[in-house]
Amino acid sequence: MNRDQALAIVKEQLTEHRYVHTIGVMETAIELADRYGGDLKKAETAAIFHDYAKFRSKEEMKQIITEQKMAPDLLIHSPELWHAPVGAYLVKKEAGIEDAEILDAIRYHTSGRENMTLLDKIIYVADYIEPGRIFPGAEEVRKIAETDLNQALMASMKNTILFLLKKNQPIYPQTLQSYNYLVFEEK
Ligand code: GDP
Ligand code: FE
Ligand code: FE
Ligand code: FE
C-alpha cells in the first residue's frame, strides 16, 4: 500500500480537522525517524493510521475491548483511551496492516507502555508536537525533540499527566507506568 492509498482509507474515517492532524503527525514522524534512525516507511504508516478508530462509537469500542479481551481496566477509564488499542485491532482487520511494530505503535500511542520501541516513541512524540498542536508545552517539546527523543517523550508524558491532574481526571495506570519507566531509566 502506498502513501496515497493509506491516506485515502484513513480520510474516510476522520473529520477534516483530524485528517489535517494526521498529515501533521505523518510529516513529523518521518522527520523524527530520519533524525533518530527509525524506519521511515513504518513511521509513515503508523502515523497515517494512528487515529483510525477515533470516531468509532463508544458502544462499538467497548464491544471490541470486551470481545478481544483487551485490558479490562480500559473500561473504567476515559473513553479517550480506547481508540488506540481498538485502532490497532481495526487497522489490522479492515485495512490489512499486519506489521506488529506498526500495530504496537498505534496501540500504545495514547498511554505509552514500559520499554517503548523507537517507533512507539516516534509516534507518541509526533502526535504531541505535530504543527497543529498549539497547546501550552508543545513548543517546548518540539525544541527538545530536535536533540533528544527520550527527553521529548518524557516531557510530553509529563505534560499529559499534569494536564489530566489539573482537570481532576483519573490517570490510567499504564500512562503512569510508562512515565515511571522513563524516569527510572534516566537514573
Ligand atoms: P489524539 O487522539 O491525537 O487527540 O491524542 P491521544 O491519542 O494521545 O490522546 C487522546 C486523549 O486521551 C487526550 O485528550 C489525552 O489527554 C487523553 N489521555 C491520555 N492519557 C490519559 C489517561 O491516562 N487518562 C485519561 N483520562 N485520559 C488520557
Ligand atoms: Fe489518538
Ligand atoms: Fe498522544
Ligand atoms: Fe493523534
Side-chain angles (χ1 to χ4, degrees):
M1 189 186 312
N2 67 32
R3 177 192 288 196
D4 288 342
Q5 290 168 324
L7 285 172
I9 291 170
V10 150
K11 197 170 200 297
E12 283 191 29
Q13 301 289 324
L14 302 177
T15 60
E16 182 62 23
H17 178 264
R18 185 59 45 176
Y19 182 70
V20 172
H21 161 71
T22 294
I23 301 284
V25 176
M26 177 187 80
E27 287 168 351
T28 306
I30 292 170
E31 267 174 46
L32 292 174
D34 192 38
R35 187 173 302 145
Y36 294 106
D39 183 316
L40 302 183
K41 190 69 197 164
K42 287 193 191 199
E44 176 183 282
T45 306
I48 290 173
F49 286 102
H50 85 284
D51 275 339
Y52 180 85
K54 190 81 178 174
F55 298 100
R56 296 302 170 105
S57 71
K58 286 181 197 169
E59 292 68 37
E60 182 184 0
M61 291 194 284
K62 194 178 265 188
Q63 188 177 353
I64 290 170
I65 288 166
T66 306
E67 285 179 1
Q68 299 305 314
K69 302 185 166 47
M70 294 174 185
D73 64 352
L74 281 167
L75 296 177
I76 59 167
H77 283 272
S78 170
E80 287 288 334
L81 294 160
W82 300 352
H83 73 287
V86 169
Y89 170 76
L90 289 176
V91 156
K92 182 173 183 181
K93 185 167 169 246
E94 298 179 1
I97 306 293
E98 302 270 357
D99 186 284
E101 278 184 81
I102 292 173
L103 296 175
D104 277 346
I106 297 169
R107 183 173 295 117
Y108 299 112
H109 87 265
T110 305
S111 65
R113 60 166 160 169
E114 294 183 321
N115 200 11
M116 288 167 79
T117 66
L118 177 57
L119 188 64
D120 293 348
K121 293 175 183 179
I122 286 169
I123 299 303
Y124 190 100
V125 172
D127 189 28
Y128 197 81
I129 65 169
E130 62 91 2
R133 300 295 210 187
I134 50 162
F135 40 67
E139 193 51 41
E140 190 198 343
V141 178
R142 260 176 218 122
K143 202 84 206 132
I144 301 171
E146 287 175 15
T147 55
D148 191 329
L149 185 64
N150 281 322
Q151 287 298 328
L153 178 66
M154 207 193 292
S156 49
M157 285 187 174
K158 185 173 177 174
N159 287 350
T160 298
I161 292 166
L162 282 168
F163 166 80
L164 294 165
L165 288 173
K166 282 180 195 139
K167 290 203 308 171
N168 293 322
Q169 296 276 319
I171 317 291
Y172 185 50
Q174 190 165 349
T175 299
L176 278 177
Q177 280 166 15
S178 312
Y179 176 72
N180 284 343
Y181 185 91
L182 285 173
V183 176
F184 281 128
E185 216 181 26
E186 283 303 298
K187 308 254 176 228

